[in-house]
Amino acid sequence: MAESIGIGVVGTGDWGANLVRNFANLPGARLVALCDSDRQRLAAAMARHPGTRGFEHVEEFAAEPGVDAVVVAASAASHYPLARVLLEAGKDVFVEKPLALEVAHAEELVRLARREGRILMVGHLLLYHPGVRYLKGMVDRGDLGELYYLYSQRVNLGKVRRDENALWSFAPHDLSVILHLLGAEPVDVAARGSAFLQGQVEDVVFVDMRFPGGRTAHVHVSWLDPHKLRKFTVVGSQKMAVFDDMEASEKIRIYDKSVERAGEFVSYGDALTVRSGDIVIPKISLQEPLRLECQHFVDCVRERKTPLTDGEDGLRVVRVLSAAQASLDAGGAPVAIAAENAGVS
Ligand SMILES: NC(=O)c1ccc[n+]([C@@H]2O[C@H](COP(=O)([O-])OP(=O)(O)OC[C@H]3O[C@@H](n4cnc5c(N)ncnc54)[C@H](O)[C@@H]3O)[C@@H](O)[C@H]2O)c1
């Protein structure tokens, strides 16, 4: 196992700054280099982290021998070209979400990482959240019974992006959790949205997905909303659970509620009975998900293990995003996701 991993970060903007701060304080890692095409941002980040080397061009940064592994936190459109250059230069790479803006590009990155024997990880942050890990445990143990449907809300009045719409900016988080909880890819996706603030960039998007076995999921994302919501509601045949990331500590509530069938030989009106039991709030670890995610990347690089959110995971999410975008462009018509797409050969 390597002594400590030399980390470089490309993109030192709003989010990149959080990643830089984490990697600068992580056991088993040394923050050695930063890259940003914006000279002022680069200088500001280097001033906060004395001793790091700075680069404006990724090609020079990629040739830096002290950098073993790189975090790509530049704008979404640059994820694919940057990750490609870095994988080709022999670096392990952690790409912020979304992995790429096109399915073919995401597939190429997965193939490239495999061919070069490099670690490729995607920043599906919520899969490192102790609350989501708890939910996944409940779903897998069957604590909720048969999973019927789930929906998520990721809305606020916030950073309005020009280069990507609310679907590509926010929904990777929701989709990664939904695919993880259900352990499946959707059969088809339908999305409708509206662009109120700027030409073609949707500010609000509603996504509907059908999964094998009749399960369904719905995602509502927006940066034009009076509420700040970060919430998943999961409905099963025995119980229901809500994960609310805006809660300071009581992030999960499990509702012992269901509707049960009384049996075959009762009248129509008596056939369904509503059962409403206790509400349980389990104790969830309050560790910072971003720190857990960064530590996972370092551990995977050191131990050469496949990340929880590897390139394939990133590709599955890009596939759903692309189908949702195609549906948006077609006014909401459902777009099928072919089952044979499941992996990259
Ligand atoms: N995981 C999360 O919760 C989360 C939250 C916010 C943003 N993000 C992701 O982080 C990434 C950055 O978002 P942000 O809000 O920090 O954006 P930002 O615009 O504030 O920062 C992006 C930075 O990347 C630099 N950059 C762009 N292209 C570059 C290139 N080719 N080479 C070098 N530098 C380049 C820009 O100069 C800028 O400083 C995005 O991919 C976004 O999706 C993730």
Side-chain angles (χ1 to χ4, degrees), residues 20 31 96 130 171 268 320:
V20 169
L31 181 69
E96 256 313 328
Y268 179 76
V320 181

Side-chain angles (χ1 to χ4, degrees), residues 14-26:
D14 294 341
W15 189 248
N18 293 328
L19 288 155
V20 169
R21 169 178 56 80
N22 264 280
F23 280 103
N25 296 295
L26 216 53

Side-chain angles (χ1 to χ4, degrees), residues 38 64 77 98 121 136 149 169 177 183 191 221 248 253 303 306 312:
D38 181 323
E64 169 67 34
M121 177 165 143
K136 174 68 174 162
Y149 75 94
S169 179
V177 172
V221 287
R253 277 166 203 258
E303 297 162 28
T306 305
E312 292 269 3

